[in-house]
Amino acid sequence: MPIGAFLIRRLGLGLVSMLGVSVLVFLFLHLIPGDPVDHLAGGEATAEQRQKIEQCMALDKPLPEQFARFLGSVADGTLGHQCPDPKGKPTVMDRIVEVYPHTLALALCGMVVAMLLALPLGVVAAIRRGTWVDTLASVTSLSGIAIPMMLLGPLLLLWFFVELGWLPGPTEVGPSALILPAIAVGTHLMAMLARMTRSSMVEVLGEDYLRTARAKGLPEHTVIAKHALRNAILPVITIAGLQFGSMLSGAIITEKAFARPGIGLLLIDSISERNYPVVQGCVLVIAASYVVVNIVVDLGYGLADPRIRRA
Amino acid sequence: MNPRLSPSAWAGAIMLAVFVFLGLFGPLIAPYPVGVEAVDQAPQFLSPSLAHWLGTDENGVDALSQLLYGARSALVLSLVVVSSCALIGVSIGVIAGYFRGVVDEVVMRIVDVLMAFPGILLNIAIVATVARPGLGLVMAALIANGWVGYARVARGQVLSLRERDYVQAARATGASDARIMARHVVPNLMAPVMVQMTFAFGGVILIEASLSFLGLGPQTDHTWGAMLDQGRNLMFKPGYGHYIVAPGLAIAWVVLAANLLGDGLRDRFDPKQRGRG
């Protein structure tokens, strides 16, 4: 299939998915008990103030009309306004744009951590396959999946922030404040990447060109690093790319654990405030990122390895 | 087919058996009650001792007993969610793959939608619909998108199985579609489904813990996720670390066991997937 047609088809399917996501979330949001007006107006609001908020949020209109208004706010790029008085306040889009870079940075650094942990584990396991080193490496990488983020995050904070004081604590956003959250996100992804590295390396280690490299007297570490790993790494990078979307959902938990600003924390806080427009905007942006990342990874893989042509 | 399970798969199976045992009998062997009647029966925040191995929590309730009751919740949660997801997913996937056409298109588009965003968002949206969700609603939320993976696997398998000679032969002898699916198709796709169920056993417990952590977990039952969340608020006080470590390790135990066994089963059923070790 030519790339243009592939792109159009995938983007079309992506749009359908996102519309589906929006409808689902919209319906469930309106099932949530608790009146958003109570949260926005506070306890002592007069009936008049309440009515004003209700009108601003269009809560007095039927559901289909509310949904149409939401679609309209997607079309004009604001994703909705804050009530009761939208003038001068940031739009939902502004709020998301403000925190999104933090989430992106977290996902990227988490990916780097995952690769740094997974490559050595996978390579060592492949070279020493079938031995206790192999078993130890796979149990180590599996424990990354097994230890819940809700335990790992606070433990990292306890050690490196409270006791050692080496790294900044919650709510900070500087570069060094990225280290602990990135470790928490990265360890979780490590297991899958390590497993992929191992099986890919095992395959490459049986190739003739490695025998040639050894036969011409290259030291073993050069054989492994330059000849084996280079060829084994492509499938690992693909899996890493495909997992990038799931890093975004990992970010929801991590951002909460480290009280770190980001789209995940914004989403969770907005759910507890019953702030419908922000919840809808966040979900839509997360779904859109998911769709875009997956298309880019598929495209990139096809370009990097022309042998692969998708159906 | 690799005739034997690897030692690490056996380790996973034994660890999982321990969990199932504690899930079945935990509430019976728990040294103290954990319900409302247990509140303030002992001083709060007791350190671990012979009488209270893991101490007591802020309500004076024995932490070890809560952990054992939590094992019951975790077992019920994972059994119900994993088996419901597999049943729903395999049924839908088999029907879509077997009949193809419009049914297949519709099912696969629904699958696409559910896979287009992080699953936990849908779980959150469902659980947030009531103020105090119980274990039942959390299970329903996890089933709502948990079946998707099984549907994909089952459909993929059926696409190749339906062209096999024995299926054609069964059709030629006049067997009904229902009979062909039940007798010839489903039994042949159970291996990958079993592998997926094993992995999911741990994953489900992790998602419950995530929801509890976000304040959206079951409010009416004792779960490890709830204990973890409670422990997180205490852990920065010196000497209170075990409140988060105990439930955290309990979760890690089950997830590690499920992954070790799942890896082993996959190697056994599908040697191509194996790392050719």
Side-chain angles (χ1 to χ4, degrees):
Chain A
M1 188 189 289
I3 280 193
F6 165 76
L7 255 186
I8 290 172
R9 185 183 143 82
R10 285 293 299 268
L11 281 175
L13 284 179
L15 281 178
V16 172
S17 300
M18 281 162 57
L19 189 68
V21 172
S22 304
V23 174
L24 268 182
V25 171
F26 180 82
L27 287 178
F28 278 115
L29 274 180
H30 286 270
L31 289 175
I32 296 182
D35 194 338
V37 179
D38 287 339
H39 287 263
L40 288 168
E44 299 97 46
T46 62
E48 195 183 341
Q49 284 169 317
R50 295 180 58 91
Q51 200 187 6
K52 203 176 153 201
I53 294 178
E54 236 164 62
Q55 280 173 354
C56 168
M57 293 181 80
L59 290 171
D60 48 348
K61 303 279 190 321
L63 279 188
E65 200 179 324
Q66 290 187 38
F67 189 67
R69 268 176 60 120
F70 169 65
L71 288 184
S73 70
V74 175
D76 68 16
T78 59
L79 290 182
H81 297 272
Q82 317 253 20
C83 286
D85 183 19
K87 286 198 191 64
K89 281 196 182 166
T91 62
V92 173
M93 193 55 151
D94 293 335
R95 290 191 64 185
I96 292 175
V97 166
E98 189 188 336
V99 295
Y100 195 74
H102 297 306
T103 302
L104 204 60
L106 174 60
L108 282 172
C109 293
M111 188 61 81
V112 170
V113 170
M115 290 295 260
L116 286 179
L117 293 170
L119 286 182
L121 279 172
V123 169
V124 167
I127 296 174
R128 300 264 177 270
R129 67 182 174 282
T131 67
W132 63 271
V133 181
D134 187 7
T135 311
L136 186 68
S138 70
V139 170
T140 308
S141 60
L142 275 183
S143 47
I145 293 189
I147 295 177
M149 185 101 70
M150 293 70 71
L151 173 62
L152 185 60
L155 278 184
L156 288 171
L157 274 177
L158 184 63
W159 290 327
F160 293 99
F161 168 61
V162 178
E163 292 190 355
L164 296 171
W166 289 352
L167 291 166
T171 70
E172 297 193 38
V173 289
S176 58
L178 248 177
I179 298 176
L180 292 181
I183 292 175
V185 178
T187 356
H188 205 68
L189 189 62
M190 161 184 76
M192 186 181 289
L193 295 184
R195 183 184 295 155
M196 194 69 213
T197 309
R198 180 185 177 279
S199 63
S200 179
M201 273 297 280
V202 167
E203 200 166 312
V204 170
L205 285 174
E207 298 283 344
D208 287 341
Y209 56 79
L210 281 201
R211 195 166 358 129
T212 312
R214 286 205 183 95
K216 69 182 186 190
L218 289 180
E220 186 64 20
H221 60 88
T222 316
V223 175
I224 298 297
K226 285 215 164 156
H227 294 255
L229 186 56
R230 248 193 201 181
N231 285 293
I233 207 169
L234 189 67
V236 182
I237 292 179
T238 312
I239 297 287
L242 289 175
Q243 286 303 311
F244 197 79
S246 70
M247 303 283 282
L248 289 169
S249 58
I252 298 176
I253 309 290
T254 317
E255 286 168 359
K256 175 86 175 165
F258 290 90
R260 198 188 135 74
I263 195 163
L265 193 64
L266 180 62
L267 173 69
I268 296 299
D269 288 347
S270 308
I271 289 180
S272 52
E273 288 167 12
R274 308 285 181 250
N275 196 336
Y276 294 171
V278 179
V279 175
Q280 267 162 350
C282 288
V283 170
L284 194 70
V285 169
I286 292 177
S289 319
Y290 222 68
V291 169
V292 169
V293 166
N294 284 344
I295 295 179
V296 169
V297 169
D298 277 1
L299 268 183
Y301 196 35
L303 292 177
D305 190 345
R307 285 172 297 184
I308 295 144
R309 282 282 171 253
R310 58 202 58 73
Chain B
M1 190 185 272
N2 192 353
R4 284 175 43 223
L5 277 179
S6 64
S8 56
W10 273 110
I14 292 168
M15 287 167 73
L16 217 48
V18 170
F19 163 62
V20 172
F21 177 82
L22 291 179
L24 287 175
F25 301 109
L28 301 178
I29 55 179
Y32 299 92
V34 296
V36 199
E37 74 275 12
V39 171
D40 294 331
Q41 290 300 301
Q44 59 175 184
F45 297 131
L46 278 182
S47 300
S49 65
L50 274 181
H52 298 277
W53 289 5
L54 294 173
T56 59
D57 74 354
E58 59 193 355
N59 297 319
V61 181
D62 181 58
L64 176 66
S65 303
Q66 288 186 51
L67 202 64
L68 288 167
Y69 275 86
R72 165 70 61 85
S73 305
L75 183 65
V76 170
L77 178 85
S78 41
L79 279 182
V80 171
V81 172
V82 170
S83 51
S84 314
C85 287
L87 187 68
I88 297 170
V90 169
S91 312
I92 292 179
V94 167
I95 290 172
Y98 188 84
F99 291 109
R100 306 296 309 273
V102 185
V103 188
D104 192 27
E105 267 306 306
V106 171
V107 167
M108 292 321 287
R109 287 298 81 76
I110 296 175
V111 168
D112 280 345
V113 168
L114 287 176
M115 295 197 106
F117 63 106
I120 197 166
L121 290 186
L122 185 65
N123 305 145
I124 291 172
I126 296 176
V127 175
T129 54
V130 299
R132 280 173 57 82
L135 202 55
L137 184 70
V138 172
M139 292 195 282
L142 294 185
I143 295 169
N145 59 355
W147 59 272
V148 173
Y150 298 95
R152 268 173 91 105
V153 168
R155 174 182 175 272
Q157 295 279 317
V158 173
L159 288 185
S160 83
L161 287 173
R162 70 198 288 272
E163 307 302 333
R164 297 285 170 85
D165 288 342
Y166 57 81
V167 173
Q168 302 293 344
R171 195 171 290 142
T173 61
S176 67
D177 287 330
R179 186 183 161 84
I180 294 176
M181 283 190 275
R183 297 294 295 272
H184 301 283
V185 173
V186 171
N188 284 302
L189 54 77
M190 281 323 282
V193 170
M194 291 282 292
V195 172
Q196 205 174 356
M197 287 173 76
T198 313
F199 284 120
F201 216 79
V204 163
I205 293 175
L206 272 183
I207 301 178
E208 184 277 318
S210 304
L211 289 174
S212 289
F213 175 73
L214 297 174
L216 297 164
Q219 305 284 314
T220 53
D221 303 82
H222 293 276
T223 67
W224 291 341
M227 290 181 74
L228 204 56
D229 192 38
Q230 198 187 22
R232 192 174 55 100
N233 298 323
L234 298 169
M235 68 176 295
F236 294 106
K237 294 188 201 169
Y240 284 68
H242 58 279
Y243 288 110
I244 192 169
V245 171
L249 287 184
I251 294 171
W253 175 277
V254 180
V255 180
L256 186 62
N259 277 282
L260 286 172
L261 182 61
D263 274 348
L265 287 179
R266 179 166 53 189
D267 288 355
R268 203 191 135 151
F269 287 137
D270 184 5
K272 271 182 305 198
Q273 288 275 337
R274 206 182 334 148
R276 273 142 292 193

